[in-house]
Amino acid sequence: MLPFPFAAVFRDAVSGQTIRFYPEEEGYKFMWEGTGKLGTWRFYSNRQGNYLEIAFNYAREETYLFTVLQKEEDVITAFRIKDRSGREQEFRKV
């Protein structure tokens, strides 16, 4: 599991969208404001890299290549996600 500050909100500077992740005790939920996505998340890794998978609207799943851009004291403070079509977004801790 990647070290993630669960109390943090991350904002995309271009779109203004925000993502908030909740820990295991709260069911690994996430809120992605600006997209209307609310559901659960998980990280996994394979030889190609680290991935963030989100599930929402009961049946939808999306997978993003997850790249850590910055850490402070071994906790993620900035990251980039890339979807299957190649679209990228960078999020930084607010």
Side-chain angles (χ1 to χ4, degrees), residues 52-65:
L52 170 66
E53 182 179 83
I54 61 172
F56 57 98
N57 295 345
Y58 302 103
R60 296 270 325 254
E61 287 186 358
E62 294 178 359
T63 302
Y64 299 89
L65 180 62

Side-chain angles (χ1 to χ4, degrees), residues 18-48:
T18 60
I19 299 178
R20 181 183 307 249
F21 296 96
Y22 295 91
E24 179 180 12
E25 298 81 37
E26 296 183 46
Y28 290 116
K29 294 187 189 300
F30 77 92
M31 288 178 25
W32 191 336
E33 295 178 18
T35 65
K37 296 174 183 170
L38 173 65
T40 58
W41 65 272
R42 76 177 182 107
F43 282 118
Y44 69 90
S45 297
N46 63 27
R47 283 188 249 161
Q48 287 79 30

